[in-house]
Amino acid sequence: GFFFHVYMADSGASDTAAALPLDNAAGLASALRAARTDGSARLAHLDRLLSTLRSQTVRDAVPDPPIFSELFSLLSAAWQEPFEAEAARTACELAAGLLALPEFAVGGVHVSDDFLDLAFSRLCQPANAAGAGAASLPAGPVSLVGSSGSSAAKSVRASSAPGGPGFGGSGGGSGFGGGDADAALKLELSTASEVVVWVYRWQPSSRAGLRLRIGRALLRMSSGGLPPPGTAPLLRILAAVIAGFGRPTSAHRSLLLSVLLPLHRPAGRLDETTPHLSLYHEPLVHAMLLLLRAQPSLLPSALGAMLQQWPKHQARSSHAEATSEVHQARCCSSG
């Protein structure tokens, strides 16, 4: 059971959804429901919704709980049920685009732990399961725009606006996979990231749990092997969270020593010249610098741990270790 109540449709729901305008709450909720339940015309419903999003007329609809219920129900179905590939991609693009709209920046909607588990399962899927290597989202800006001056009220806003990273195109990422599979993976990661940052901003009661989920996920990602494609997106979310930290706590030290520093270890390589670290080193450096600037007392611990990991010149056998040296030197000098 997710937080949302699934609104049951009668036999004429599909025809009704197609007839209702999408610039009001009832019409938008009905169309979202039809996109989930009407498999025979799912793509038509989704294309109509996406067209309304791109034209911006959907912004005339005032979001209410039934709209969020249907939106998250649709996304849940796209991630779990046997949706057609194109329909799943369109559902992800639609969800990310709607959540990025200013009109959807509202509180009062409760998202359950079950749905957050699902979003994190998409972010944490292993590279081989994702089917497109370790692709990552482009390193776009992460802004912290709060509705008040307090750190707790700051939002964590990833760069996944409509038409943004991963929405079509040939992909790129790590250079693995490529084509439609890589683009679809980036879109899925972008959507899951948008869900997490939206919940973090507008559901304060979930913030502590989200921080714990992010830390645990990154801790697993640092255990070795090819990092999951969601490593870089999670680090970008974490960096925005760190920017809102207040007074120092023991959790900040644990974040440094147990999560961020282990991610610096060059435990593997994609090839002779490319370490795994290269897949996420930019957001990792950014997150670590934000933490050290906010908590300068952690700098000695960070330097000591990084120097212990520093590759020895006589043992360095490839460009992978050299890249690690440059990366760690950059961290130290910037701190």
Side-chain angles (χ1 to χ4, degrees):
F2 293 100
F3 84 101
F4 36 73
H5 173 73
V6 177
Y7 293 81
M8 300 304 294
D10 58 25
S11 58
S14 179
D15 293 338
T16 301
L20 289 174
L22 301 184
D23 58 356
N24 64 74
L28 181 55
S30 179
L32 290 167
R33 184 185 318 125
R36 173 174 54 85
T37 60
D38 183 11
S40 62
R42 178 172 289 128
L43 276 174
H45 292 301
L46 286 169
D47 286 342
R48 180 171 178 245
L49 285 160
L50 196 59
S51 176
T52 307
L53 171 65
R54 288 170 172 166
S55 69
Q56 299 289 289
T57 56
V58 73
R59 298 180 67 176
D60 292 334
V62 179
D64 58 10
I67 287 180
F68 285 103
S69 171
E70 295 297 348
L71 177 61
F72 290 128
S73 292
L74 173 62
L75 189 55
S76 171
W79 280 341
Q80 295 187 105
E81 298 179 9
F83 266 40
E84 308 93 326
E86 184 178 355
R89 287 194 297 269
T90 306
C92 283
E93 181 174 353
L94 176 68
L98 289 175
L99 291 177
L101 292 176
E103 290 76 12
F104 279 71
V106 296
V109 178
H110 180 71
V111 180
S112 75
D113 288 342
D114 287 339
F115 186 70
L116 291 176
D117 285 342
L118 179 59
F120 271 86
S121 74
R122 309 317 296 169
L123 281 167
C124 298
Q125 59 185 306
N128 56 354
S136 62
L137 298 178
V142 175
S143 61
L144 293 168
V145 183
S147 56
S148 73
S150 67
S151 296
K154 292 181 179 179
S155 68
V156 188
R157 176 71 158 76
S159 57
S160 54
F167 295 167
S170 60
S174 65
F176 284 74
D180 291 342
D182 203 24
L185 173 60
K186 291 181 184 180
L187 176 56
E188 183 174 5
L189 294 176
S190 175
T191 305
S193 297
E194 191 70 41
V195 167
V196 172
V197 300
W198 187 91
V199 174
Y200 195 91
R201 179 179 184 183
W202 297 111
Q203 192 168 307
S205 62
S206 294
R207 287 176 183 165
L210 283 173
R211 290 192 293 268
L212 186 60
R213 288 170 187 268
I214 294 170
R216 286 175 174 172
L218 290 171
L219 185 60
R220 290 194 299 269
M221 291 173 177
S222 67
S223 61
L226 184 63
T231 306
L234 273 174
L235 282 167
R236 292 189 187 103
I237 296 172
L238 176 62
V241 171
I242 291 172
F245 279 178
R247 59 181 179 81
T249 70
S250 59
H252 298 167
R253 180 178 178 83
S254 296
L255 174 62
L256 172 69
L257 298 180
S258 301
V259 177
L260 294 177
L261 284 171
L263 281 167
H264 284 77
R265 297 170 186 159
R269 306 172 190 168
L270 297 173
D271 53 41
E272 284 298 318
T273 61
T274 311
H276 287 172
L277 184 62
S278 66
L279 297 173
Y280 57 82
H281 76 279
E282 288 291 345
L284 176 59
V285 168
H286 182 55
M288 189 155 175
L289 292 182
L290 285 174
L291 181 59
L292 293 177
R293 286 169 182 166
Q295 314 292 352
S297 62
L298 296 176
L299 184 58
S301 297
L303 289 175
M306 292 180 70
L307 288 174
Q308 289 179 359
Q309 297 177 22
W310 203 288
K312 293 182 168 40
H313 285 277
Q314 61 268 30
R316 194 176 70 203
S317 59
S318 75
H319 179 66
E321 285 82 358
T323 302
S324 176
E325 286 192 20
V326 171
H327 166 74
Q328 296 187 56
R330 178 180 173 184
C331 252
C332 293
S333 61
S334 299

